[in-house]
Amino acid sequence: MGLGVRAGGLQLKNPLILSSAAYSSTAAGLRQHVTRGYAAVVTKTTTTTPLAGAPKPTVFWYDPEEKNLLSGAEALRNPGADRMVEAIRRTAELAEENDCKIIGSCTGNTMEEILSICRRFEEAGAAAIELNMVCPSTGPHLGQEYACLGKWWVDDTDRAVELINSVKKAVQLPVWSKLPLAKLIDKSFLEALDSKAGADAYCFVGGRMPNLKIELATGKPVLPGNLLLRMEKGLPISPMVTGPVKPSTILHTAFLAKLSRTPLVCSGGLTRGTDILEAVMAGAAAVQICKAVYRDIKAGARMLEELREVMECHGYEEIQSLKGRVLASLPDPPLLTVPGAKYD
Ligand SMILES: Cc1cc2nc3c(=O)[nH]c(=O)nc-3n(C[C@H](O)[C@H](O)[C@H](O)COP(=O)(O)O)c2cc1C
């Protein structure tokens, strides 16, 4: 059975990628995950110097029994470029033996910082770069070193285009751009990126759930430290979690696949092998998982086994040939739309 896919300038042994999070911050974490069947593993988003991230609590289950609603408000806690470069270097050979690509995720407060990390990732053995232009939980409320990271790079479209193109020039590797969904479903932003920037893939989180949990003993809201700090400083908050949002991830993938020819790598609530197949049929070149791995460290291997089973059950031989299969049965935008999409 053929699980191989072409995704954003890479040939992958299957469509499943471990997405960026705390488990990929160290050499031990990377070395563990490159042997678990994934076609690629994305490093924790790295900045020039180590960042302590948001005040605790950061990573916790709002629903410890069900494990569906995960707080990920780490605000880019990471060990810094020196240690991540070393972690990639120490993992590169094992990754190659397992045909698992290492994708280096980074951001920075200046273009120079980002270009330097990307060049160092390339030298250390990364197969692609993922530019974090998405992280919503950073900002000056955490200190100056957090002022212009992650999502800051898409606040201005020209800045986003310039970043992607500068990184493309600085390295020989494919450059993936992880972007906020709200920007991707804005037609003017998407068209500008498609026509002026040369990203090899767009990565996105297909949906995040608005969320409020109340601690019954006190009647107080349960919120990550980042939002408690924002409240303290009188800044607006919008509590969201990664959760059971798979159906909206599939819809957003189909919607974006209709609008853009740039390969799409989606994440958001994917936990089963059947979810991988649906995402590919919606037009994804590959998928990423995170929450499923926090729930079960071996989730990737299980999902790949389920993918093989469901393909066999339906008599499918090559997953690549199923890419975008649903699109012919859906109208083109604007007759197909999603909440919040901007067309003017
Ligand atoms: C604890 C935690 C840390 C994360 N850190 C990063 C990060 O550093 N960079 C990034 O691009 N995404 C980060 N993410 C987002 C995930 O990579 C993923 O896109 C998102 O959780 C949606 O996928 P899921 O529903 O499978 O969890 C993080 C998520 C969590 C839960």
Side-chain angles (χ1 to χ4, degrees):
M1 181 180 301
L3 292 189
V5 290
R6 289 180 299 282
L10 296 177
Q11 182 63 43
L12 300 181
K13 67 178 172 183
N14 64 56
L16 187 62
I17 300 174
L18 180 69
S19 79
S20 176
Y23 43 57
S24 53
S25 319
T26 60
L30 286 177
R31 289 178 65 81
Q32 178 184 158
H33 287 295
V34 296
T35 62
R36 291 197 188 276
Y38 299 104
V41 167
V42 187
T43 69
K44 175 71 191 174
T45 299
T46 304
T47 50
T48 305
T49 50
L51 291 180
K56 289 198 158 81
T58 50
V59 186
F60 62 91
W61 294 103
Y62 285 95
D63 54 347
E65 290 87 36
E66 297 88 354
K67 294 194 174 166
N68 267 322
L69 305 172
L70 180 64
S71 163
E74 286 192 310
L76 301 182
R77 173 186 170 82
N78 80 88
D82 288 351
R83 286 179 61 189
M84 192 59 85
V85 165
E86 189 50 30
I88 294 175
R89 195 167 282 130
R90 284 181 48 202
T91 310
E93 199 180 314
L94 185 64
E96 201 172 330
E97 280 165 26
N98 285 274
D99 191 13
C100 177
K101 316 275 190 253
I102 302 173
I103 301 179
S105 169
C106 66
T107 184
N109 281 298
T110 64
M111 182 80 77
E112 290 66 36
E113 282 181 11
I114 297 176
L115 297 183
S116 161
I117 300 174
C118 292
R119 288 194 192 97
R120 294 181 69 197
F121 278 176
E122 180 172 38
E123 279 166 24
I129 300 294
E130 186 173 286
L131 293 173
N132 183 330
M133 302 164 78
V134 70
C135 180
S137 56
T138 56
H141 66 288
L142 290 165
Q144 267 318 297
E145 66 273 41
Y146 296 83
C148 310
L149 303 177
K151 191 166 166 295
W152 181 84
W153 288 92
V154 291
D155 288 349
D156 178 287
T157 304
D158 290 341
R159 185 192 292 157
V161 168
E162 196 193 343
L163 174 63
I164 294 169
N165 287 340
S166 303
V167 175
K168 282 290 291 176
K169 277 195 208 121
V171 293
Q172 305 293 313
L173 305 178
V175 177
W176 296 9
S177 171
K178 191 167 178 180
L179 295 158
L181 182 66
K183 294 302 266 188
L184 280 172
I185 62 176
D186 175 339
K187 196 168 179 231
S188 62
F189 180 86
L190 185 63
E191 281 181 357
L193 236 61
D194 275 350
S195 59
K196 297 187 201 156
D200 293 281
Y202 300 144
C203 309
F204 65 96
V205 184
R208 298 203 314 140
M209 265 183 55
N211 159 76
L212 180 62
K213 179 168 165 87
I214 300 166
E215 190 179 63
L216 296 179
T218 61
K220 289 191 172 166
V222 177
L223 292 171
N226 196 35
L227 293 194
L228 294 171
L229 182 68
R230 288 184 70 92
M231 272 166 49
E232 219 176 277
K233 300 200 171 218
L235 296 166
I237 62 162
S238 174
M240 303 269 233
V241 287
T242 169
V245 291
K246 179 208 110 182
S248 88
T249 298
I250 303 299
L251 173 62
H252 286 120
T253 304
F255 179 71
L256 293 172
K258 289 264 186 189
L259 288 175
S260 174
R261 297 179 76 82
T262 304
L264 301 169
V265 178
C266 63
S267 62
L270 308 179
T271 59
R272 296 166 189 278
T274 47
D275 300 343
I276 306 175
L277 187 53
E278 269 194 88
V280 170
M281 285 183 163
V287 311
Q288 297 186 346
I289 58 165
C290 170
K291 182 192 75 174
V293 181
Y294 274 96
R295 197 158 59 186
D296 167 16
I297 190 97
K298 294 184 181 155
R302 172 187 50 78
M303 287 172 71
L304 286 168
E305 194 44 45
E306 289 169 357
L307 174 63
R308 282 189 199 94
E309 276 166 26
V310 69
M311 288 200 34
E312 200 176 313
C313 171
H314 292 289
Y316 295 142
E317 286 176 3
E318 300 279 338
I319 196 162
Q320 182 73 55
S321 66
L322 302 171
K323 185 173 165 221
R325 179 170 274 206
V326 80
L327 300 177
S329 310
L330 289 170
D332 287 340
L335 293 182
L336 171 69
T337 191
V338 295
K342 287 194 198 141
Y343 273 87
D344 299 319

